[in-house]
Amino acid sequence: MGSHKIRGMPRVAPIVRSTRYEHAINTLVAKRSEISGLIRFKGADLAHQLVHIDAVLLILGYKGDPSQIVPLRRKPNRFRKGELYRLILKCEAEGSKANKETAQRIVAVKGWEPSLVDRVRECVNTAKVRRRRSCAVRHE
């Protein structure tokens, strides 16, 4: 099952709604997904919380099986807000042309291991594309 985005939020389960309490049900589905992701991917000891969330979902009329809600896997953020783009601008000012070269310089500046260059290159590419899109929208 792919990760679809609806209004900026990842879709974590098939939407099975009742006509009442939709907001509460959607919030609980998202919270269950988050907690089950912490349990599955980080080994958190929160299984007792899932029992309570499942009970409230059933009380509110959730029509699906709560155990089928997909666990949320969060990617770690390597950069603070705006930090990556500032580093990109700094590298380009120093003469960096290619995304890979920019990523190599960023990895060196941050003191990270060279094996992260490909991941940082993907982040650099994504940041540049997003920046181009946001500038294009503003100038229309």
Side-chain angles (χ1 to χ4, degrees):
M1 179 176 179
S3 176
H4 306 291
K5 289 199 173 204
I6 300 173
R7 294 185 193 159
M9 293 188 63
R11 183 170 161 187
V12 293
I15 298 181
V16 182
R17 301 178 179 162
S18 69
T19 53
R20 287 178 80 183
Y21 309 116
E22 281 183 44
H23 184 71
I25 289 172
N26 289 339
T27 303
L28 286 167
V29 166
K31 182 52 80 174
R32 189 190 198 289
S33 174
E34 179 184 339
I35 290 174
S36 61
L38 290 172
I39 292 168
R40 183 171 180 183
F41 303 119
K42 303 243 184 207
D45 185 27
L46 299 170
H48 61 283
Q49 296 294 323
L50 293 181
V51 174
H52 299 296
I53 291 173
D54 292 349
V56 174
L57 281 169
L58 294 174
I59 289 169
L60 294 179
Y62 182 71
K63 293 185 176 88
D65 179 10
S67 66
Q68 296 300 312
I69 296 172
V70 179
L72 180 65
R73 171 176 254 158
R74 293 190 186 268
K75 293 182 181 177
N77 291 334
R78 300 188 191 284
F79 302 98
R80 292 187 304 271
K81 186 174 181 178
E83 179 185 17
L84 175 60
Y85 199 71
R86 283 192 297 275
L87 288 169
I88 291 170
L89 292 176
K90 181 180 175 187
C91 291
E92 288 177 347
E94 294 171 354
S96 179
K97 297 288 183 198
N99 288 348
K100 185 163 187 167
E101 183 183 351
T102 302
Q104 289 169 336
R105 288 183 183 206
I106 290 172
V107 167
V109 166
K110 296 288 276 181
W112 294 339
E113 55 191 62
S115 63
L116 292 174
V117 169
D118 287 332
R119 289 184 188 164
V120 173
R121 185 195 49 76
E122 290 173 8
C123 294
V124 167
N125 186 45
T126 302
K128 285 182 174 182
V129 169
R130 284 184 180 161
R131 185 64 171 202
R132 266 187 251 126
R133 285 181 186 160
S134 69
C135 288
V137 169
R138 275 189 250 151
H139 293 299
E140 288 180 353

